[in-house]
Amino acid sequence: MADVRADASGVPEIDLTDAEVLRDPAAAYGRVRERSPLARLRAPGMRPMWVLTRHEDARAMLSDPRFELSADSFMRPAGIPEHCLAYMRTMQEMDGPEHARLRRLVSPAFTARRAADFRPRIESVVENLLDDLPDHAEDGAVDLLAHFARPLPIEVICELVGIPESDRPRWREYGAAVAADWGQAFADAVPGIMEDAKAAVAARRSEPGDDLISDLIRTQTGDEGRLDDTELVTLVWNLVLAGQTPTNLVANAVETLLRHPGQLAALREDAGLVPRAVEELTRWCGPQLLTIPRHPREDVETHGVLIPKGEPVTAAIVSANRDPRVFADPERLDISREAGAPGHLGYAHGPHFCLGAALARAQTEVALAALLRRFPGLALAGAPGRVPDPGTWRLAALPVTL
């Protein structure tokens, strides 16, 4: 991408298969951002997509009711069995009153206060995983992605939601498939996922507990403001598997700190910096590069360009989070950076702001603090490889020495 290409109208184009875009998306999108607030994304076999590259425009679009999320926003894998389709329409595909109703029912479980109250259980999961780390060493190195960052979120979300202990080995497999890629592995697992979600609901009906499923079952009164059984099962599987987001955030954060020894030393010296560090790391190396595409309900003009009704539009989180119009010296990692308005878009914005943001922050804070405390000599064991994924900034493995 030494020279940014443009279409006939002068709008820059980004090739999602370009090796430079895949190798260093922050730099690639950054070059486009400084040339234009609007670009086009292209890849073989994919419908061209508009992309907003600057923070102000991205943030505005994400809260603009003219841009809607729907089933067309998602590339659903082929081969989903007919009897599973009723459970495939998740809250992410909804907008307006329908989305607001479901979000209102489930959001009390994901508040910052609930995450704080849940923190001791997160700490227990983290400590148990760290206890086992040395047992996974091979030739002196441990894959921190496979044995810490990947299992952490599924254990935490299963606790929060209320998945029975006996069913968790299968959910761990589902979670690993999702954290790696929403591809054929997910499609193959769908029937099992749905059956296990139904089983989790049935288990909590017979034995209620202090968890989200039990809370939601208690609200079922049959009126329009409450959940029906299909909605409840859909919420259960979607919340558990969507809860895998911290996997790549934790892995990216650890690799980034190990590559920035000055920042790592500052964090070791002052554990009080952990919350700020997590926000800065989410801004600087957050895994989500692009938002889920929206579709305008009408023709929309922006920066002198007409975006026709129905054409997909996304926001480039990776460039918005390094926009110099919002962040001072944005290319510099600074774990002491004070968070100010309007803030990063690592968890998106607007009505579809990440429901699990507070939980993801808590997990990442606990994970980093405990890892650095338990293993003061933590270091990279070679150069971690990245998966060439145009939508997610993620590692294939994270080998470290303890």
Side-chain angles (χ1 to χ4, degrees):
M1 279 195 51
D3 296 314
V4 179
R5 296 187 297 274
D7 65 14
S9 65
V11 175
E13 293 187 340
I14 299 172
D15 178 0
L16 292 179
T17 65
D18 188 316
E20 284 302 301
V21 174
L22 297 171
R23 186 187 66 81
D24 191 350
Y29 280 89
R31 286 192 291 271
V32 174
R33 179 194 61 230
E34 295 312 304
R35 172 172 168 177
S36 171
L38 184 68
R40 293 280 265 172
L41 299 180
R42 296 187 181 276
M46 185 192 85
R47 183 182 181 188
M49 190 161 32
W50 300 93
V51 59
L52 296 160
T53 63
R54 295 177 185 171
H55 190 284
E56 181 180 6
D57 298 308
R59 191 171 185 269
M61 187 272 285
L62 293 173
S63 58
D64 188 335
R66 294 177 299 172
F67 294 88
E68 65 178 347
L69 280 170
S70 67
D72 292 337
S73 299
F74 299 85
M75 291 187 291
R76 186 169 291 165
I80 302 294
E82 185 72 26
H83 71 278
C84 295
L85 293 179
Y87 304 102
M88 292 301 294
R89 187 168 181 265
T90 70
M91 190 164 55
Q92 292 170 300
E93 299 180 11
M94 302 173 186
D95 263 320
E98 185 181 28
H99 171 262
R101 176 179 69 89
L102 290 179
R103 180 131 182 160
R104 183 175 65 251
L105 288 170
V106 76
S107 60
F110 292 93
T111 62
R113 174 171 291 184
R114 186 70 178 266
D117 291 343
F118 200 68
R119 202 174 183 104
R121 291 161 82 175
I122 299 174
E123 290 169 347
S124 177
V125 171
V126 166
E127 294 296 338
N128 287 337
L129 289 171
L130 294 180
D131 285 344
D132 292 341
L133 268 188
D135 296 336
H136 296 293
E138 295 182 9
D139 298 325
V142 176
D143 183 355
L144 208 63
L145 174 63
H147 301 297
F148 183 61
R150 189 169 288 152
L152 170 61
I154 194 70
E155 296 296 327
V156 169
I157 200 71
C158 281
E159 277 282 307
L160 181 70
V161 171
I163 301 297
E165 188 72 42
S166 59
D167 293 343
R168 292 185 188 179
R170 289 192 301 277
W171 285 100
R172 291 183 192 113
E173 293 178 13
Y174 303 150
V178 170
D181 178 51
W182 279 84
Q184 193 57 45
F186 170 69
D188 294 342
V190 162
I193 290 171
M194 301 314 172
E195 288 307 309
D196 282 348
K198 292 176 187 177
V201 171
R204 285 299 174 251
R205 276 214 170 94
S206 61
E207 261 186 78
D210 179 20
D211 52 65
L212 177 60
I213 296 177
S214 300
D215 289 347
L216 293 174
I217 288 172
R218 292 184 191 106
T219 71
Q220 285 189 304
T221 61
D223 63 19
E224 290 185 2
R226 303 306 180 187
L227 294 169
D228 62 33
D229 284 353
T230 299
E231 289 173 330
L232 180 53
V233 170
T234 302
L235 269 174
V236 168
W237 79 258
N238 187 234
L239 289 172
V240 173
L241 297 187
Q244 304 317 296
T245 299
T247 286
N248 294 315
L249 175 57
V250 169
N252 287 352
V254 172
E255 187 216 14
T256 296
L257 286 170
L258 295 178
R259 291 188 182 281
H260 292 78
Q263 298 292 295
L264 177 61
L267 191 57
R268 287 191 185 280
E269 286 178 18
D270 184 1
L273 285 175
V274 168
R276 279 194 197 179
V278 169
E279 291 308 296
E280 174 69 348
L281 289 159
T282 304
R283 180 193 75 83
W284 205 84
C285 61
Q288 205 64 30
L289 301 176
L290 302 166
T291 63
I292 297 167
R294 273 76 170 163
H295 296 85
R297 304 172 190 265
E298 60 190 58
D299 292 351
V300 177
E301 185 174 341
T302 180
H303 297 285
V305 176
L306 184 70
I307 298 178
K309 174 184 175 180
E311 292 202 354
V313 184
T314 185
I317 296 175
V318 65
S319 63
N321 279 351
R322 298 199 189 189
D323 189 340
R325 298 156 189 80
V326 174
F327 304 100
D329 197 7
E331 297 300 324
R332 180 170 62 91
L333 178 72
D334 179 6
I335 63 165
S336 65
R337 188 187 296 269
E338 291 191 22
H344 67 71
L345 298 179
Y347 298 108
H349 180 66
H352 286 272
F353 178 81
C354 177
L355 186 66
L359 188 64
R361 287 180 167 114
Q363 285 183 73
T364 309
E365 289 174 13
V366 171
L368 291 182
L371 184 66
L372 298 183
R373 183 188 74 251
R374 293 277 299 267
F375 301 106
L378 190 72
L380 290 172
R386 289 205 167 266
V387 178
D389 184 338
T392 308
W393 183 239
R394 58 192 176 100
L395 291 162
L398 181 52
V400 297
T401 53
L402 303 177

